[in-house]
């Protein structure tokens, strides 16, 4: 079934200990859509400027991603400049030029209205809510956010959280949102804010899902589930790893006939798999040339590196 | 089969966000021995002062731990004073009084010589080596160390590393020892220093084992294995969690007829289980009143929270 994603399409200028790139294709919606496209149909809502060229469009088209909901407007694309130093888990923002994103008002094409799954990537919660309201019949809504919205736009964010099936954020964001250093207590506070399930991404340490009674009504499950990460020799560029995780996770979910606890757990593993590929090259490079066979091989590796056996 | 452990028996004065205790029983050998005692026979080499009373001895005896190798001498026990603030993964040392530990020279009783497994807890690598040399026929040797020895006693430590079947340290220690921020690259450098296997403990994010070709000669295994941790609502006192992990890990290994990859992986899970209990109360409190049934129930929980299933 189709996923509709709303979020940024951007150019990123990134420096890491492995090198640097200038203005490579990026943005949360881009990374999410590419990762999810290996599992299901993806439709994108976003805005780009005149510097978004046919060669960038081709990246989406090559993965059969529907971009008729991407608005072309005068000006330049959103441009993020950032740096990772020794600690590759921490991005240092050197510049954010919103450009065309500054006046972005999401419009949903008629052809997108039957989407069953909705992903609200990390943008202004007011916009997330606007999109959510226009899609009242979706089966499942997941979302992301970040420190900037948690700190300065809490009321709008609270309204978004109440409508989410799953919120995907990282440890620092979870602790900030709940104002609580203990992760389990933070998770319980966040679940009380509305999301039925919380997924906390730990970067190189994998991810943990925290379930509520609303996660799988009628199913008995543990209160949490942990998916591993793959130790990688060369983390070239962590940008987009979280969005790729979300894309793998939600893409797999949307491809399955029913969202059971077992499907949800496998989706967490696929999230980790897609995140692990994303960081192997700058920007979208690695995921662009990925194959489904590579994904399935790495899924098997994730299982092997985390599962007990009898030998 | 019996494990011989050499390390500190101490009193700890600890303050955490959950409270404070003054001079509770602690020390690496104590935490290790208590955890391992649920799986196999444990023998302790250490030194205590006149403040080590029958009530402290009773803690070991209640778990059938052999302490005839614990030397009683004039003076006071090793005393550590420390604090955990909001980040419970980081201990702040406020005071270290070595006391009787300052002149400690390990002596191995004749009755201990047939021990098959040896654990070198975190002490001066010169002493670790001395004990190792006196036990030439042990089947398996594991060890721990810390920043202080990595920084200031590197040559002695290097000799110890060459004789280890497994080294158990945390992320920060691994990065410092290898002088490399990427964990997989750090692990490969450390394996090149001698240990056949490296286990890196990630605190609340579990632990990863990095294998070399010497880990299981004749077996094909992945290069690593990840064991989860249990999200805990109340981390009362993290002191001794790493030693309890080591005790659960090595205790289980020593209880099995053969150390296969499957046994090793289950041992990692038992390590996580014992660490998760250790932090639930101050000092040794929680592990003292633990039962094997509780351990097995939690082991099942660790499996459930990390394993894919078919529902």
């Amino acid at each position: 079934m189709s996923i509709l994603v709303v979020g940024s399409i951007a150019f990123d200028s990134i420096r890491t200990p492995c090198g640097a790139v200038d203005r490579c294709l990026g943005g949360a919606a881009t990374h999410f859509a590419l990762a999810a496209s290996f599992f299901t149909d993806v439709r994108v809502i976003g805005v780009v400027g005149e510097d978004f060229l046919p060669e960038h469009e081709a990246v989406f088209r090559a993965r059969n991603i529907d971009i008729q909901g991407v608005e072309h407007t005068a000006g330049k694309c959103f441009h993020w400049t950032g740096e990772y130093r020794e600690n590759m888990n921490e991005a240092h923002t050197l510049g954010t030029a919103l450009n065309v994103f500054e006046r972005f008002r999401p419009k949903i094409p008629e052809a997108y209205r039957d989407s069953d799954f909705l992903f609200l990537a990390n943008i202004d919660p007011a916009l997330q809510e606007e999109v959510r309201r226009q899609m009242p019949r979706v089966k499942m809504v997941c979302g992301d956010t970040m420190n900037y919205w948690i700190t300065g736009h809490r009321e709008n964010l609270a309204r978004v959280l109440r409508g989410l099936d799953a919120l995907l954020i990282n440890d620092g964001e979870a602790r900030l949102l709940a104002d609580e250093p203990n992760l389990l207590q933070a998770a319980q506070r966040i679940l009380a804010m509305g999301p039925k399930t919380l997924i906390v991404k730990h970067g190189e340490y994998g991810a943990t899902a925290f379930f509520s009674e609303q996660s799988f009504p009628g199913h008995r499950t543990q209160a949490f589930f942990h998916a591993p990460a793959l130790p990688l020799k060369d983390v070239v560029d962590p940008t987009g790893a979280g969005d790729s995780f979300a894309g793998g996770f939600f893409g797999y979910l949307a491809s399955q006939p029913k969202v059971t606890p077992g499907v949800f757990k496998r989706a967490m593993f696929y999230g980790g798999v897609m995140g692990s590929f994303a960081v192997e090259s700058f920007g979208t490079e690695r995921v662009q040339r990925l194959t489904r066979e590579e994904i399935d091989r790495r899924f098997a590796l994730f299982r092997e590196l985390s599962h007990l056996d009898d030998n």
Side-chain angles (χ1 to χ4, degrees), chain A residues 16-180:
Chain A
T16 80
C18 294
V21 288
D22 189 37
R23 298 177 53 78
C24 71
L25 182 63
T30 305
H31 289 291
F32 176 94
L34 285 172
S37 73
F38 287 89
F39 303 94
T40 196
D41 293 334
V42 185
R43 300 155 168 185
V44 183
I45 304 266
V47 62
V48 295
E50 292 145 330
D51 49 353
F52 188 81
L53 305 176
E55 67 198 71
H56 304 118
E57 213 168 296
V59 173
F60 292 87
R61 297 217 188 279
R63 296 278 337 133
N64 274 317
I65 297 165
D66 187 339
I67 53 172
Q68 61 172 294
V70 175
E71 188 186 334
H72 290 252
T73 177
K76 284 185 160 189
C77 282
F78 180 30
H79 182 203
W80 180 76
T81 307
E83 186 179 52
Y84 300 84
R85 297 173 197 152
E86 225 185 51
N87 175 3
M88 294 283 262
N89 294 320
E90 195 187 348
H92 299 268
T93 293
L94 303 176
T96 307
L98 287 176
N99 300 332
V100 297
F101 219 73
E102 205 157 357
R103 294 207 182 76
F104 175 48
R105 293 298 299 266
K107 293 171 214 58
I108 299 172
E110 202 47 47
Y112 280 16
R113 301 261 166 196
D114 65 347
S115 309
D116 285 307
F117 293 81
L118 173 61
F119 188 72
L120 307 169
N122 169 31
I123 50 170
D124 186 337
L127 299 183
Q128 291 180 316
E129 212 198 343
E130 209 171 300
V131 173
R132 175 72 186 89
R133 230 184 2 235
Q134 292 178 64
M135 298 291 294
R137 284 187 303 275
V138 289
K139 289 193 182 144
M140 193 170 175
V141 189
C142 294
D144 187 6
T145 192
M146 71 183 292
N147 292 0
Y148 180 77
W149 311 117
I150 295 170
T151 311
H153 295 69
R154 206 168 256 268
E155 277 181 41
N156 287 343
L157 181 59
R159 275 195 297 276
V160 173
L161 294 182
R162 282 198 285 274
L164 289 184
D165 290 289
L167 172 68
L168 290 88
I169 50 181
N170 68 31
D171 292 78
E173 290 156 356
R175 293 188 163 105
L176 182 70
L177 179 56
D179 188 23
E180 163 61 48

